Amino acid sequence: MIMKKIIISVTTLAALVFLGACSSTTTKSSDSSTQTTETSSSVDLNSLELPQLSDEVAEDETLVEMVTSAGSIKIKLFPTQAPKAVENFVTHAKEGYYNGTKFHRVIEDFMIQGGDPKGDGTGGESIWGDSFENEISNQLYNIRGALAMANSGGDATNGSQFFIVQNKDDKSDGLAIQYYPEAIIEAYKKGGVPQLDGGYTVFGQVVDNDMEVVDKIATSETTGEANSMGEDSTLKEDVTIKEIKILQEAK
C-alpha cells in the first residue's frame, strides 16, 4: 500500500510518515492533543513521570543500540507505556529483521524513517503478521529524538516501519498547558513535531547525545528527484542498519 505524503510548509510541518506496507505520519494541530492526553481536569499532567526527559535507563525500560553505516544510535524503549510496539521492535531486532534495511525516507528538519525490508516504504509487517493498534500515552510525545511507529493514518495500521524525530526548531509556541506537561512544552523548545501527537505510537527516545548520528543522516544529500509521493526524501547514498543490539531488557 502507498503511504500518505508529508507536506512541509514554511511555518509548520504537515507531515505524513509512512510505515512499511502502508504507514503514514500525519501532522495535526496542537489542539488534537485532546485526543491523546487527558485534560488537567482529570489528571495532573505535571505529576506524570516523563521518561523521555532522562538519559537514565530504568529497570522497566529496554536499551538498544542501532548500529548504522553512519554510526551508532542508542535508544531506550518504554514497554510500560507501549508494550506491543516495544515487543514488536525488540523481537524484530533479535531476529535480524532490520539488518541490512535502509533509511528509505529522510527529511531534514523533520525525521528519518526506516524499518521497511523492501526499502521503498511499501513493505514490512509486525511480528504477528497483522498490523496492530496505536498505543498513545500522555507520558510520551514527539519531541526531538523520539522513536515512533509509522502508520498509514489509522489507529491499527502499525507494522514494522518506524521513524526518529529529528527537527531541532522550537515548536513550543501554542502548546496549551491543559494538554501538555510544562516539562514537555519546555522540551519542544529544543525541537520535535507536536502535530504528530495523538496519531502515532511513541515508544522510545534517543539517549547519550546520539542525535549527532540522526542529524548526520537527516542532512545527508538526497537525490534531488521526487519519489512517488512527490518528495525529495531518498538518500543519494544509502544509510543502512547493520544490526540492532539489545543492551538491556526491561525487568
Side-chain angles (χ1 to χ4, degrees):
M1 297 192 213
I2 304 296
M3 307 173 166
K4 303 177 181 178
K5 86 174 166 183
I6 296 181
I7 303 168
I8 302 180
S9 68
V10 175
T11 58
T12 187
L13 289 168
L16 302 170
V17 174
F18 300 92
L19 212 171
C22 89
S23 314
S24 60
T25 312
T26 312
T27 32
K28 306 179 181 181
S29 69
S30 58
D31 289 343
S32 69
S33 57
T34 56
Q35 299 173 5
T36 61
T37 34
E38 299 180 60
T39 63
S40 56
S41 62
S42 57
V43 63
D44 180 4
L45 294 176
N46 293 312
S47 69
L48 296 174
E49 288 188 20
L50 303 170
Q52 289 173 282
L53 303 185
S54 170
D55 273 358
E56 182 179 347
V57 182
E59 287 189 352
D60 65 344
E61 297 171 348
T62 293
L63 181 65
V64 303
E65 180 181 0
M66 184 181 292
V67 182
T68 81
S69 56
S72 291
I73 307 168
K74 287 184 179 178
I75 308 168
K76 66 174 182 173
L77 310 179
F78 309 116
T80 299
Q81 292 81 6
K84 294 196 75 171
V86 172
E87 181 183 359
N88 183 62
F89 184 84
V90 170
T91 302
H92 271 329
K94 288 180 176 179
E95 294 177 349
Y97 185 88
Y98 294 125
N99 295 1
T101 61
K102 65 181 180 180
F103 288 94
H104 63 272
R105 192 162 178 249
V106 173
I107 301 177
E108 185 178 357
D109 298 327
F110 177 33
M111 59 86 222
I112 62 174
Q113 183 173 336
D116 176 12
K118 284 189 175 181
D120 62 2
T122 65
E125 62 180 13
S126 76
I127 59 174
W128 303 284
D130 296 327
S131 55
F132 62 98
E133 68 277 4
N134 286 343
E135 298 171 299
I136 306 301
S137 170
N138 56 13
Q139 294 178 270
L140 303 173
Y141 300 84
N142 287 278
I143 61 175
R144 175 171 159 81
L147 172 68
M149 293 300 300
N151 63 44
S152 57
D155 177 61
T157 57
N158 298 296
S160 67
Q161 290 189 42
F162 58 83
F163 62 95
I164 300 175
V165 178
Q166 184 266 338
N167 174 57
K168 61 178 66 174
D169 295 332
D170 185 344
K171 292 296 177 180
S172 64
D173 187 40
L175 300 184
I177 59 174
Q178 293 96 326
Y179 307 133
Y180 284 90
E182 292 178 6
I184 291 297
I185 295 176
E186 189 66 24
Y188 269 123
K189 291 182 178 179
K190 299 178 182 178
V193 189
Q195 296 95 328
L196 300 181
D197 292 336
Y200 302 87
T201 300
V202 175
F203 67 99
Q205 182 70 30
V206 175
V207 297
D208 292 346
N209 297 315
D210 285 347
M211 284 303 292
E212 290 183 5
V213 177
V214 177
D215 288 335
K216 180 180 178 181
I217 297 171
T219 56
S220 297
E221 185 179 0
T222 55
T223 61
E225 299 178 358
N227 58 17
S228 60
M229 296 172 289
E231 43 180 47
D232 177 18
S233 61
T234 303
L235 292 181
K236 191 171 183 179
E237 295 185 11
D238 289 345
V239 174
T240 60
I241 295 174
K242 296 181 178 180
E243 64 175 321
I244 297 178
K245 301 177 181 178
I246 312 301
L247 303 182
Q248 171 185 311
E249 287 204 63
K251 296 181 180 179

